[in-house]
Structures are given as C-alpha cells and as structure tokens.
DNA sequence: TCAGTGATTAGG
DNA sequence: CTAATCACTGAG
C-alpha cells in the first residue's frame, strides 16, 4: 500500500541534484483550511545549485530576495518573474548552501506560471516550511520511476556552461 | 513572433 | 532617484 506520508526534513537536506529528480511523482498537497485538500503529482522540476551556478539567483549574492535559499532545505522560495508569474521553488541542502528546485509542472498543469496560478501560490507562501506548514506539504507516493533530463529552460543569460547542465528533470 | 507586467537589483 | 533585467505566457 502506498504510504502517503509527509516528507520530513531529511528529504530536503540533501543536494538539489538528488532532490530535484526525486520530487518527480511525489504529491504536492494544498489544504484550504476548511478540511478540503487538493493533490497534485509533480511531473517536471529543475535544479538551481549554489553561488557558482550563473542561472541560480544566489549567484548574485545574498539579498533579501534570495535569503530563504540560505536556510535549511524544506522551505519554499516564491518569487515573481516578468511582473506576472509566480515561481514555486523548494529550498534544498543544509543552511548556508543556497539551492532550490523549481516546480515546472504538475499533472494537468504544464509550465511554472500555470502551476502557481492553478494552485493559488503567491508571495504569501515565500518562506513557508513544507515540514510543518498546515496549508502546503509534499507526500511520498512510494512510487519509484525513471525520468528524462534536458538543459534548463529560459536561462540563456547564464552562459554556455551553466546553460548546458542537464538539470531539468521530467517524466 | 512578441508585448505585457512589476518586483528586484545595481548604480548615480 | 533611474534604468535594466527577468527560472513566462497567451495572443496573433
């Protein structure tokens, strides 16, 4: 029987290159506070890894915006891009080690901006802790899987090396 | 193919 | 204060 159990801190404390692919097929759960829960299976992620990664916001240093990425893994990093779209990221790794996994798609909602629109994610979720939050968390479906990889999308500015890292993971 | 949109950042 | 940039999307 599938475990349907909330993932604990240890899951998120590992390197983003381990966590990002393992998020595939896990279930993102949203509770509305009135007893209703919506469940979304994660189908596409990307890894952003440390100050050296020119595509990672932490490559520009520690700022108010990037502060949450310096926390222990398990927090959410939510920011607005192009003035329109909220991006949902899961902070990974130990503290002082800025990394995050971008949730690009869940089942039925393809594209990071569409995911947050469908789920009602906005800046109020920035910093939320998936390990203790009453309104959002991730459950282990107990299903193992294979996956594909590719270059990350939308980071042409990062230069040839970082642009070509195969850090996008999808089913 | 390309405009929209506004938070964030660097710089004067 | 100004100006540039942007981990995207939908319309045409």
């Amino acid at each position: 029987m599938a475990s349907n159990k909330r993932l604990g801190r240890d899951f998120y404390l590992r390197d983003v290159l381990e966590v990002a692919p393992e998020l595939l097929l896990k279930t993102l759960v949203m509770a509305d506070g009135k007893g209703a829960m919506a469940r979304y299976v994660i189908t596409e992620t990307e890894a952003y890894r440390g100050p050296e990664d020119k595509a990672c916001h932490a490559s520009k240093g520690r700022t108010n915006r990037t502060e949450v990425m310096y926390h222990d893994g398990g927090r959410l990093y939510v920011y607005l891009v192009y003035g329109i779209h909220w991006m949902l990221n899961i902070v990974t790794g130990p503290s002082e080690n800025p990394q995050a996994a971008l949730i690009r798609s869940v089942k039925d909602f393809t594209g990071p901006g569409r995911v947050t629109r469908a789920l009602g994610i906005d800046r109020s979720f920035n910093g939320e802790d998936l390990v203790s939050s009453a309104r959002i968390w991730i459950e282990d479906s107990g299903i193992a899987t294979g996956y594909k990889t590719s270059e990350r999308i939308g980071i042409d500015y990062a230069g040839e090396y970082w642009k070509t890292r195969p850090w996008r993971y999808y089913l």
Side-chain angles (χ1 to χ4, degrees), chain A residues 38-140:
Chain A
R39 307 172 65 82
Y40 306 90
V41 176
I42 296 169
T43 56
E44 180 184 1
T45 64
E46 274 175 359
Y48 290 85
R49 187 172 185 268
E52 324 76 38
D53 178 2
K54 294 291 191 244
C56 181
H57 290 166
S59 67
K60 301 208 167 113
R62 190 167 185 157
T63 65
N64 285 341
R65 180 169 71 153
T66 62
E67 181 64 27
V68 70
M69 278 201 282
Y70 290 78
H71 275 260
D72 284 2
R75 303 266 177 168
L76 297 184
Y77 168 41
V78 179
Y79 69 92
L80 188 67
V81 73
Y82 296 113
I84 303 176
H85 310 290
W86 295 101
M87 297 291 104
L88 172 60
N89 296 257
I90 296 165
V91 174
T92 66
S95 63
E96 305 305 313
N97 196 319
Q99 310 180 332
L102 171 66
I103 304 300
R104 290 195 58 90
S105 298
V106 296
K107 189 170 183 302
D108 298 330
F109 298 102
T110 303
R114 291 175 185 164
V115 168
T116 54
R117 192 178 61 188
L119 276 57
I121 301 283
D122 60 20
R123 99 165 278 133
S124 76
F125 282 82
N126 190 46
E128 194 91 357
D129 187 1
L130 291 172
V131 176
S132 61
S133 174
R135 57 177 177 161
I136 184 168
W137 63 90
I138 296 175
E139 293 181 358
D140 188 350

